């Protein structure tokens, strides 16, 4: 296969991975919004545990079918990853509860510079001037769209800090584990999802009761609400898998920057399906600026020197790991 053909195939798979993530992420946000706002199922942590339980069942099916090959991942690495991931989930919920919506959005935006910091310090990644400026443009555009009232208190600020750093570490770790142990997205998800599901389903009901004052076992389930739960869990499998695929193929920073396309789509679909309240010139301009910044980032970071790792262990180890990871990625493409 020629290098041009390989490059075309990679570009097509990359685009498919992004679309897969955007569609599933936007879909699950809309479904969960209906589930919580319309049907009163406000148990976010327990719902996330159900998402990972469904994902666990899918990985078991894939392993049984032979799409996931047995791999080894140290228990210590799994536990560290689950710790970051669970702190991210709980921290985000607490941050939203204790902070204004405006400060919550600012905290989410700060994940990009934190992820950049982790890559610079831990991976010795260097960004070009254009890449840095494009990130700033994306941040400004999304801020125009989403940040309105901004008020903060100490405990809310602390919760936001924990949420931001744990989320950035979790996403960095997805890329780090795939690169270090040469395992694909399916395999990594197969290792981490069962532990996350177990831990969240154990602590989730207690946390949800603390946040909402309601018990998940006392919720009045109906046929429609159960149907929405099933749809939410089904879409979540794609969301979890596509996140691992995208971060594995790219980096946490790229995932965050391009991922703000989901914010734009959620806003747009919200105006379409739930009314045009809040739609104004500032929001529209913010969307346009953010999209332009994303396009600029994609172009700048793909150029030579736009984003590069200036030191790595050894070129031979890098080649071997990339070759092994490419095999895992080809398995994912087939699935």
């Amino acid at each position: 296969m020629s290098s041009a053909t390989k490059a075309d195939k990679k570009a097509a798979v990359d685009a498919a991975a992004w679309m897969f993530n955007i569609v599933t992420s936007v879909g699950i946000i809309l479904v969960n919004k209906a589930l919580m706002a319309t049907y009163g199922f406000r148990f976010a942590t327990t719902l996330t545990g159900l998402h990972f339980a469904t994902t666990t069942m899918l990985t078991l099916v894939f392993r049984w079918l032979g799409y996931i090959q047995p791999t080894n991942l140290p228990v210590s690495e799994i536990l560290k990853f689950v710790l970051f991931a669970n702190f991210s989930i709980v921290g985000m919920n607490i941050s939203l509860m204790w902070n204004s919506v405006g400060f919550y959005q600012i905290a989410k935006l700060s994940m990009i510079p934190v992820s950049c910091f982790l890559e610079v310090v831990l991976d010795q990644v260097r960004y070009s001037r254009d890449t840095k400026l494009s990130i700033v443009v994306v941040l400004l555009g999304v801020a125009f769209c989403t940040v309105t009232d901004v008020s903060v208190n100490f405990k809310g600020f602390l919760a936001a800090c924990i949420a931001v750093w744990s989320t950035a570490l979790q996403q960095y770790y997805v890329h780090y584990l795939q690169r270090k142990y040469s395992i694909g997205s399916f395999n990594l998800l197969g290792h981490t999802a069962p532990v996350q599901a177990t831990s969240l389903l154990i602590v989730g009901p207690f946390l949800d009761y603390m946040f909402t004052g309601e018990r998940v076992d006392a919720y009045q389930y109906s046929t429609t609400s159960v149907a929405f739960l099933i749809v939410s869990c089904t879409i979540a499998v794609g969301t979890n898998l596509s996140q691992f695929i995208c971060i594995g193929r790219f980096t946490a920073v790229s995932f965050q920057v391009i991922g703000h396309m989901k914010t734009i789509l959620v806003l747009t679909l919200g105006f379409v399906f739930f009314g045009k309240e809040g739609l104004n010139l500032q929001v529209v301009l913010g969307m346009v600026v953010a999209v332009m910044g994303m396009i600029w980032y994609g172009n700048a970071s793909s150029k030579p020197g736009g984003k590069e790792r200036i030191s790595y262990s050894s070129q031979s180890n890098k080649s071997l790991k990339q070759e092994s990871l490419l095999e895992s990625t080809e398995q994912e493409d087939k699935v």
Side-chain angles (χ1 to χ4, degrees), residues 18 21-30 33 92 101-102 104-112 137-148 171 254-272 274 278-279 282-284 286-291 294:
W18 279 120
N21 180 256
I22 290 173
V23 170
T24 54
S25 298
V26 173
I28 198 170
I29 289 172
L30 296 177
K33 182 175 182 179
M92 280 298 179
V101 175
Y104 174 77
Q105 291 294 342
I106 290 176
K108 287 181 66 177
L109 290 175
S110 67
M111 290 178 196
I112 293 180
V137 171
V138 173
L139 291 174
L140 290 174
V142 178
F144 286 151
C145 293
T146 59
V147 177
T148 52
Q171 293 183 355
S254 296
F255 181 75
Q256 283 285 345
V257 173
I258 308 300
H260 277 297
M261 179 61 73
K262 293 177 285 190
T263 305
I264 306 301
L265 284 176
V266 169
L267 284 172
T268 304
L269 292 175
F271 294 137
V272 171
F274 301 105
L279 180 63
Q282 176 184 326
V283 172
V284 174
M287 291 180 180
V288 173
V289 171
V291 172
M294 292 172 201

Side-chain angles (χ1 to χ4, degrees), residues 149-172:
D149 62 309
V150 178
S151 60
V152 62
N153 54 73
F154 177 73
K155 65 178 184 179
F157 177 78
L158 184 62
C161 288
I162 293 173
V164 168
W165 278 94
S166 57
T167 302
L169 283 166
Q170 182 257 343
Q171 293 183 355
Y172 170 81

